[in-house]
Amino acid sequence: MHIHIVAIEWNSQQVLARHIRELMQIPGFTIGKTPDPNADINYFFPYLQAVDFPDFDKTPIAAYFTHHDPYHSQRKGEMWAEVAERADLRITSARRNIASIGQASIALPPLEQTQFTPLYRGIRSRPVVGMSGYCYRGGRKGEILVQQLKQSDLGQSLELRACGRGWPVPTREYDWKELHKFYQGLDVFLCTSLAEGIPVTVLEAMACGVPVVVPDDVGLIGDIELPYLSASYKTGDYEDMEGVLNSVLAELKTGKMPDTQQYRQTIAPFTADRWRDDHLRAFENYLNPAIVDDEILPDWHDCAGVYFVAFGEPARKCAKTAMESWRKYMPEVEIALASTEPIGIEDHFIREEDKGIGARCIKTQVELRAPQHWKYVLYMDADTVLVNPVPFLLDLLQAGWEFFMCVQPERYVLLRDSKRPDNHSEIDETVELIGTDEVLQLNGGVFGYRRNERTRELMGAWYSEWDRYGKRDQASFSRLLYTSPLRIYVLGQEWNTVIRADYNDPERTAGILHYPMTARRHKGIVYGRNDSSEAWKKVKEFDGRTE
C-alpha cells in the first residue's frame, strides 16, 4: 500500500508537521509538495492542499479535515465543502465534522504524553489562567472573549497569561520542547476557540493535570468526557464562559485538587500508535472494502460440480482416474469434462478444440464453460486424485467464503519464486502492479468458488488476462485478485498435496493428491505461448512424430 502525503511542510514543530512525521513512520508512506500519480492514494494534509490541484485525478484522493473556518474568509469556508465533495476518503479527528463533510474515518491525534506530565501544586492566591495558540485573522481563537475577561472584575482578580502569539494578555512564545512548563504553571487552562480541529492545547493541558474550561462544540471536545474540576461552556458565549470559569476556580479555592490519574486516563487514547493505526485502518478499508453479502446460500449438495480439462492422451488418462475417484468419494458432486471427446464418466461433456498444449485457454474459461446451474464450482487439474471425501471444501463456500485456493509447495510459495527463464516479463509486470514480490503465489491446480457478482466478474476476466501472455495462469490470477479482491480462504498443501521427490509426503494429505507432469505431453521449457508453433513442436517431439 503506497500512500503519498501532499503537504506544504513537515519539518517544523507545528502541530500538523509533527503529526505528519508520525505517519511517515509507516512503511509505504511517502511525502511531497505535489501529488504522486503512481501512489495508491494521495493524501492531502490538511484538506486545503487539495485546492491547489483541482484537476488531479490520477489516483483516489484522501484529505485530512481539521476544522471548518468561515471566520478567516468566506472563500476558506467554501473550500471545506468543495474538498469534502471531491475527496474519495475523508479523515478527521472530530466526529462533529462528519455533519458537514459527510462519511469520514476518525483518526485520534497523537499527544506526546511523556513530555506533558502532571505537576499540579494547588491553586495560587492569585489564580493563573492561561490560553495557548496563534491568533489569526477572523478571530476564530476567541480572542474577543479573552479581551472581555481581561476587562471584567473576575479577570482583574486573575493573572492572565498566554503562549503563542496575538493574545490581548501578556504572551510568550515557547520552544516546543519547553511548552509543558507553560501548562505546569497554570491553575486553569481556558480555551476560547470558536473553531478548532482538536484542539491539541486542551489535551496538552489535561496531560499536565491542569483543569480546563472549554467550549462545548469545538473540535473533539464533545467526544471526550471531561475529568473532575474541568467543565464546558456554550461556545462563543462570554457570560456562560465567565460563569463556568468562576465556578471551577471556586471549587479549587476550597482546596479540591484535580485527580491526575483521571486526567491521564482521559488523554490515554491519544497516542502515536493509535494515530497510525487509525490511518492504516481507514486506507485499508477504502482500498479493500468489507464485503457485504446478505445472500442466503443454498445447500451445496444440490448445486455443486467439479470441472476437468483434458487434452492429449496423457491428460485424458489422468482425467479418467481423477473422475473415477470423485465418483467414489464425492458421488453427490456433478462432473463436467472439457475435451475433444467424452470419456464416459462425466455428467456434462463440453466439446472443445485442442487449442494449446497446457489447456489453460479452456481452464481459464471455467466460468463460461461450467454448467450454469452450479452455484459452487470446483476445479481440479486432470493429474489430481481423491483419496478421501472432501466436503470441507464445499462447506467453506457454503459458509460464506467466495473462493479457496492452496499455497504452492515450499520452494515456490512467493511470487518471486515463480520467476523462470520463460516468464520474466509477466512476473515483472505482476510485481510492478502489486508493489512487491513478497506475495503468496497460489497454486491453480485445485480451487473452488461460489458464483456471485464478484466471482463472476473476476473469473469472467481470467481468460483475457491470461491470454495477454498465453503461458502459465497463476500470475494472471494474482493480478486479477489484487485489483478485484475476494473473500478467499487460503488452504495448505494438505488440500493439494503435490507428489514429487522432495515435495510432500502423501500421508499428510487431507484428501487430494497431485501428480504434476503426468498429464503433460511435452518435455522441457516452452519459451513462447502455449499455442505457438514452438509449443506444438514440443508435442510432436514427445509423441515421436516428425510431422
Side-chain angles (χ1 to χ4, degrees):
M1 182 169 65
H2 177 192
I3 307 301
H4 184 70
I5 299 174
V6 183
I8 195 168
E9 74 91 15
W10 50 90
N11 294 314
S12 73
Q13 292 298 341
Q14 295 297 316
V15 172
L16 292 183
R18 300 201 312 269
H19 292 182
I20 287 173
R21 290 199 294 274
E22 294 293 354
L23 294 178
M24 291 304 297
Q25 302 298 315
I26 305 174
F29 276 54
T30 59
I31 194 164
K33 294 185 178 182
T34 59
D36 182 351
N38 297 313
D40 292 316
I41 296 177
N42 275 272
Y43 184 25
F44 292 93
F45 198 104
Y47 72 97
L48 290 169
Q49 302 305 313
V51 176
D52 293 334
F53 303 95
D55 299 322
F56 180 78
D57 60 0
K58 301 298 183 184
T59 72
I61 70 167
Y64 180 60
F65 289 85
T66 49
H67 58 279
H68 183 215
D69 187 7
Y71 305 99
H72 181 274
S73 67
Q74 179 180 345
R75 177 60 188 139
K76 190 172 183 181
E78 293 170 349
M79 292 176 187
W80 175 267
E82 289 176 7
V83 179
E85 182 177 355
R86 179 181 162 209
D88 300 289
L89 173 63
R90 293 167 288 276
I91 299 176
T92 187
S93 292
R95 296 186 184 280
R96 67 181 304 276
N97 289 337
I98 294 175
S100 58
I101 64 175
Q103 183 178 356
S105 296
I106 299 296
L108 292 187
L111 178 66
E112 295 80 358
Q113 298 189 23
T114 58
Q115 176 174 340
F116 296 94
T117 55
L119 190 64
Y120 196 84
R121 301 184 179 90
I123 194 166
R124 297 161 179 81
S125 57
R126 188 183 185 199
V128 179
V129 175
M131 291 66 63
S132 181
Y134 290 85
C135 299
Y136 306 98
R137 184 181 74 184
R140 74 170 178 87
K141 290 292 183 178
E143 310 94 287
I144 190 171
L145 299 179
V146 178
Q147 181 66 36
Q148 289 176 274
L149 177 63
K150 177 182 176 182
Q151 296 170 349
S152 70
D153 292 339
L154 175 61
Q156 293 296 313
S157 69
L158 305 174
E159 180 181 338
L160 299 175
R161 63 174 68 161
C163 168
R165 189 168 54 235
W167 297 97
V169 297
T171 304
R172 172 186 165 189
E173 286 196 68
Y174 283 75
D175 182 90
W176 183 78
K177 293 180 180 180
E178 302 293 318
L179 184 56
H180 59 285
K181 296 179 180 178
F182 167 75
Y183 296 108
Q184 291 170 346
L186 303 179
D187 293 307
V188 175
F189 177 78
L190 174 64
C191 177
T192 57
S193 295
L194 306 177
E196 288 282 2
I198 301 173
V200 71
T201 55
V202 173
L203 300 181
E204 292 168 345
M206 287 195 294
C208 292
V210 178
V212 298
V213 173
V214 295
D216 63 356
D217 192 27
V218 168
L220 54 70
I221 290 172
D223 301 337
I224 59 178
E225 184 176 349
L226 294 175
Y228 176 61
L229 295 177
S230 289
S232 64
Y233 63 91
K234 186 177 180 181
T235 303
D237 187 323
Y238 174 76
E239 290 185 2
D240 193 32
M241 183 196 79
E242 181 179 323
V244 170
L245 176 60
N246 200 23
S247 296
V248 169
L249 290 168
E251 290 285 306
L252 292 170
K253 288 176 181 178
T254 66
K256 294 179 180 178
M257 295 280 288
D259 182 344
T260 55
Q261 183 177 358
Q262 184 188 20
Y263 276 64
R264 296 293 290 184
Q265 289 174 344
T266 301
I267 57 92
F270 299 94
T271 66
D273 285 343
R274 174 69 179 269
W275 171 248
R276 289 188 286 263
D277 288 346
D278 285 346
H279 274 84
L280 280 173
R281 188 178 302 108
F283 291 125
E284 288 171 353
N285 287 343
Y286 175 78
L287 293 172
N288 302 294
I291 297 171
V292 178
D293 195 342
D294 297 326
E295 182 181 7
I296 298 175
L297 301 178
D299 189 313
W300 62 260
H301 291 82
D302 302 321
C303 50
V306 58
Y307 178 80
F308 289 95
V309 177
F311 293 94
E313 285 310 307
R316 286 174 58 81
K317 182 178 178 180
C318 288
K320 180 176 183 295
T321 301
M323 291 189 290
E324 288 173 343
S325 71
W326 276 82
R327 279 283 181 258
K328 179 179 179 179
Y329 291 107
M330 295 290 291
E332 60 270 69
V333 176
E334 294 183 2
I335 298 173
L337 171 69
S339 187
T340 52
E341 297 292 338
I343 291 177
I345 302 171
E346 66 277 5
D347 299 294
H348 306 278
F349 173 66
I350 305 159
R351 189 178 299 277
E352 295 288 348
E353 294 182 27
D354 190 356
K355 296 180 179 179
I357 65 170
R360 289 183 171 88
C361 63
I362 304 302
K363 170 186 174 179
T364 54
Q365 296 183 67
V366 55
E367 174 55 29
L368 299 176
R369 299 292 189 264
Q372 291 302 302
H373 69 275
W374 288 0
K375 178 67 177 180
Y376 306 96
V377 181
L378 306 178
Y379 169 84
M380 303 284 151
D381 274 353
D383 50 13
T384 58
V385 178
L386 280 194
V387 293
N388 280 313
V390 290
F392 173 71
L393 300 179
L394 289 159
D395 289 341
L396 280 177
L397 301 177
Q398 187 177 324
W401 294 96
E402 294 180 299
F403 207 101
F404 73 78
M405 200 175 258
C406 305
V407 295
Q408 288 271 50
E410 292 178 4
R411 66 171 64 177
Y412 302 115
V413 168
L414 298 179
L415 177 60
R416 64 165 173 255
D417 301 326
S418 64
K419 195 169 188 177
R420 299 170 189 174
D422 61 327
N423 67 353
H424 278 210
S425 57
E426 181 171 14
I427 298 301
D428 288 345
E429 178 191 334
T430 308
V431 170
E432 183 177 359
L433 171 68
I434 297 175
T436 178
D437 60 5
E438 293 187 350
V439 63
L440 282 178
Q441 178 64 65
L442 301 175
N443 188 305
V446 173
F447 66 81
Y449 64 99
R450 63 180 175 90
R451 280 174 159 149
N452 61 21
E453 182 179 352
R454 290 177 294 275
T455 57
R456 284 183 181 275
E457 179 180 357
L458 185 146
M459 297 303 290
W462 195 7
Y463 169 74
S464 296
E465 187 64 25
W466 168 83
D467 191 47
R468 294 176 53 230
Y469 288 91
K471 298 178 70 62
R472 299 178 185 87
D473 53 60
Q474 293 96 327
S476 59
F477 184 82
S478 294
R479 294 192 296 274
L480 290 173
L481 191 61
Y482 178 76
T483 54
S484 302
L486 298 177
R487 188 185 295 149
I488 184 168
Y489 196 105
V490 179
L491 295 163
Q493 296 169 52
E494 294 82 2
W495 298 94
N496 183 7
T497 310
V498 178
I499 305 302
R500 288 182 69 174
D502 56 350
Y503 279 12
N504 291 306
D505 182 348
E507 292 185 1
R508 72 175 290 187
T509 190
I512 303 174
L513 299 180
H514 193 165
Y515 297 89
M517 315 298 285
T518 57
R520 285 194 178 184
R521 47 181 168 164
H522 72 279
K523 293 182 178 180
I525 295 176
V526 176
Y527 286 91
R529 293 173 56 90
N530 284 357
D531 54 5
S532 66
S533 57
E534 175 198 357
W536 288 113
K537 182 179 179 181
K538 290 279 188 180
V539 173
K540 292 178 181 179
E541 292 173 354
F542 182 85
D543 291 341
R545 291 180 285 155
T546 58
E547 296 182 0

